[in-house]
Amino acid sequence: KNQVEQSPQSLIILEGKNCTLQCNYTVSPFSNLRWYKQDTGRGPVSLTIMTFSENTKSNGRYTATLDADTKQSSLHITASQLSDSASYICVVSPHQGSSYKLIFGSGTRLLVRP
Amino acid sequence: NAGVMQNPRHLVRRRGQEARLRCSPMKGHSHVYWYRQLPEEGLKFMVYLQKENIIDESGMPKERFSAEFPKEGPSILRIQQVVRGDSAAYFCASSDSRGWAGEQYFGPGTRLTVT
């Protein structure tokens, strides 16, 4: 079983609409939880980083939430744009001893249509 | 300020050949990480290197795979006698002197196809 599970696997929305992507994880303890955006043919780019004590973090139209009790996180995208079409990946950084060994989910593929 | 550079971007090898993947970290970064992404899967940690040192290679297959980060020049991930199962995207990331505490910045990846 994957330590980081994401849903849905893929999502299609119309330009201008909002969407929410989900992430469940079993990694414990953990140092921080990150959301990355990966365009096709590119490397992942960090959107947000949250420590276990943070509940929410925003970066422009992206807002991430974290519930450390239920081990769930979400990424909310508001007023979607065509350029938001990409894979969004939930990544957990384990406890400090090996926090560099990032654990990646498989991602949610988002397609924004005009 | 150039980001993390990887080359080649695409590499095709026949079974049994060697593959050499290069990664130049961001300027000022001395920590390098390699990840592998199999089709339809998430990235998986392979190895963490500092200049001239392998810090953690626990994610790297014990045979045929090796990595180095010399004092001068890029980090190299070397795969000997490639097999079809090695076909994947290989990503390199780098971080600054804070090492594991610093943000990892990813390169565009090298897509290896073994025929």
Side-chain angles (χ1 to χ4, degrees):
Chain A
K1 184 172 167 45
N2 290 335
Q3 293 180 284
V4 181
E5 297 271 4
Q6 292 188 244
S7 62
Q9 276 192 324
S10 59
L11 183 62
I12 301 173
I13 62 174
L14 292 177
E15 187 179 9
K17 297 296 185 184
N18 304 336
C19 66
T20 301
L21 314 180
Q22 302 290 345
C23 173
N24 295 332
Y25 62 92
T26 59
V27 182
S28 182
F30 74 96
S31 177
N32 56 68
L33 185 145
R34 313 164 183 219
W35 282 91
Y36 281 84
K37 179 185 180 187
Q38 185 176 18
D39 292 306
T40 302
R42 301 287 186 98
V45 174
S46 179
L47 295 174
T48 63
I49 300 177
M50 290 181 289
T51 64
F52 62 87
S53 61
E54 294 179 286
N55 298 121
T56 186
K57 183 72 73 81
S58 289
N59 177 4
R61 294 180 296 103
Y62 302 105
T63 299
T65 65
L66 174 62
D67 185 334
D69 292 329
T70 62
K71 294 187 171 58
Q72 294 180 325
S73 177
S74 67
L75 180 70
H76 187 72
I77 305 174
T78 58
S80 60
Q81 300 175 358
L82 298 179
S83 60
D84 291 333
S85 295
S87 283
Y88 291 85
I89 309 172
C90 178
V91 182
V92 178
S93 178
H95 64 87
Q96 285 198 348
S98 56
S99 62
Y100 52 83
K101 286 175 161 179
L102 303 182
I103 301 172
F104 285 73
S106 299
T108 292
R109 287 183 185 75
L110 175 65
L111 177 61
V112 180
R113 285 206 167 134
Chain B
N1 183 17
V4 178
M5 313 261 293
Q6 289 188 249
N7 69 80
R9 295 292 308 276
H10 300 273
L11 182 62
V12 179
R13 284 286 178 266
R14 283 199 286 271
R15 277 179 298 169
Q17 291 185 317
E18 177 180 289
R20 290 171 69 89
L21 288 60
R22 293 175 188 76
C23 168
S24 295
M26 283 180 71
K27 187 175 180 181
H29 285 192
S30 55
H31 300 256
V32 165
Y33 315 81
W34 285 92
Y35 293 83
R36 177 165 66 174
Q37 185 176 31
L38 295 171
E40 306 303 318
E41 293 189 14
L43 279 72
K44 297 262 192 321
F45 169 81
M46 297 181 74
V47 61
Y48 166 27
L49 310 108
Q50 293 179 30
K51 286 281 187 182
E52 300 184 280
N53 284 307
I54 296 174
I55 306 302
D56 184 342
E57 57 182 348
S58 59
M60 203 151 67
K62 301 241 182 297
E63 296 181 355
R64 303 188 297 108
F65 285 72
S66 62
E68 62 176 7
F69 189 14
K71 188 176 179 182
E72 301 289 339
S75 174
I76 307 284
L77 179 67
R78 184 178 174 213
I79 312 172
Q80 295 178 291
Q81 299 172 348
V82 296
V83 300
R84 288 229 172 97
D86 296 334
S87 294
Y90 292 83
F91 290 93
C92 163
S94 71
S95 64
D96 60 22
S97 58
R98 290 172 294 172
W100 54 263
E103 176 67 66
Q104 292 185 28
Y105 294 87
F106 285 82
T110 293
R111 275 141 191 87
L112 172 66
T113 301
V114 179
T115 61

